[in-house]
Amino acid sequence: MRSLAIFPQRSTLEAIPPRIRTAMLELGINIDHVATIRQARKTVEPDPVWAAALAELGGADCITIHLREDRRHIQDRDVKLLRETVRAKLNLEMACAEEIIQIALEVKPDQITLVPERREEITTEGGLDVITQLQPMTETVKRLQNGGMFVSLFLNADPKQIEAGLQTGCDAIELHTGNYADAETARDREAEWHRLQVAGTMISAAGKRLHAGHGLTYHNVLPIALIPQMRELNIGHSIVSRAVSVGMQEAVAEMKRLLAQR
Ligand code: PXP
């Protein structure tokens, strides 16, 4: 295992009692991969509804699912059942597509994270381009908010995109941590971390909640968790992978224990 480089000054957080620090940072578990295994055989197992319950027992603050237009993993039935069973926050990732907007308005998850979607991609590859879609994006944010949902936008740590994102009136911005996670050298990782930190400062100075996700693992999560304004992390692949060995409840509990070092 490579050693963790902790970039932030711990002193910025140390003034806050540890229990409050932990409570301030919510852990969202993305369970799409559980549905991917089920869809590989088009059968009924493993059921993401069970996985969500076990994730909650392990301490998940939020269950995150992505209802893609191609339905490659999460199905409409999952969204409806999870709305009834999840006791933590339910976060639905979705594209700005009318069919999915209608489902969101009907099911009413607690939170929506708007993401870009391309059919040929393996997973969400980057943040939204809000600059070129400012008007439709603003309308979608407003429709979902009027439906009672808290709306987050998934964006790269690009100040121009963040400025445009803030203009939509969204409630939160989730920063894409893929470049940070994929950085091959400590210097590149640190540069990516600084970009995220500057973007995070812009977002929280505008009064919006700061979220982050993509490519976060047990090995690289702490520096992101230590960005002082960070309020929610969404993690899928690493935790579902760990769950294959130790079970979902324990995999989530391990991540919660790690984040408690914050
Ligand atoms: N956040 C968003 C917006 C995503 O699209 C994804 C991947 O579906 C994640 C977080 C989780 O990424 P990972 O599976 O790499 O942890």
Side-chain angles (χ1 to χ4, degrees), residues 30 93 115 123-124 154 174 213-215 234-237:
N30 183 315
E93 292 177 6
V115 299
T123 178
T124 317
F154 188 49
E174 177 171 333
H214 205 89
N234 283 298
I235 309 181
H237 186 86

Side-chain angles (χ1 to χ4, degrees), residues 135-163:
Q135 199 201 336
M137 198 76 73
T138 304
E139 279 166 22
T140 303
V141 168
K142 196 135 286 151
R143 285 174 72 193
L144 294 166
Q145 286 172 332
N146 288 343
M149 286 156 268
F150 189 89
V151 183
S152 176
L153 303 182
F154 188 49
L155 300 182
N156 291 334
D158 169 353
K160 291 210 167 64
Q161 290 292 351
I162 308 253
E163 271 170 30

Side-chain angles (χ1 to χ4, degrees), residues 42-184:
K42 301 247 181 318
T43 176
V44 294
E45 63 183 4
D47 193 329
V49 176
W50 283 32
L54 292 167
E56 284 197 63
L57 287 172
D61 304 292
C62 171
I63 299 298
T64 295
I65 47 174
H66 184 172
L67 184 66
R68 294 184 70 105
E69 287 181 85
D70 63 12
R71 308 297 200 274
R72 70 169 70 155
H73 39 54
I74 292 293
Q75 305 295 304
D76 299 45
R77 161 267 187 208
D78 302 328
V79 182
K80 288 182 185 139
L81 280 177
L82 287 164
R83 172 66 294 184
E84 287 180 28
T85 55
V86 167
R87 289 287 154 265
K89 181 165 77 181
L90 181 63
N91 174 33
L92 177 67
E93 292 177 6
M94 53 175 267
C96 278
E98 189 54 35
E99 184 213 357
I100 310 289
I101 294 171
Q102 288 301 333
I103 293 171
L105 289 169
E106 187 192 319
V107 176
K108 293 189 190 295
D110 303 292
Q111 177 173 296
I112 299 291
T113 302
L114 292 174
V115 299
E117 211 173 281
R118 285 191 298 139
R119 276 179 194 261
E120 65 278 16
E121 69 192 357
I122 294 175
T123 178
T124 317
E125 283 168 358
L128 291 161
D129 180 1
V130 194
I131 295 170
T132 60
Q133 301 173 64
L134 187 55
Q135 199 201 336
M137 198 76 73
T138 304
E139 279 166 22
T140 303
V141 168
K142 196 135 286 151
R143 285 174 72 193
L144 294 166
Q145 286 172 332
N146 288 343
M149 286 156 268
F150 189 89
V151 183
S152 176
L153 303 182
F154 188 49
L155 300 182
N156 291 334
D158 169 353
K160 291 210 167 64
Q161 290 292 351
I162 308 253
E163 271 170 30
L166 293 172
Q167 284 179 46
T168 65
C170 65
D171 302 294
I173 291 179
E174 177 171 333
L175 290 176
H176 186 287
T177 47
N179 288 342
Y180 161 84
D182 293 342
E184 289 189 355

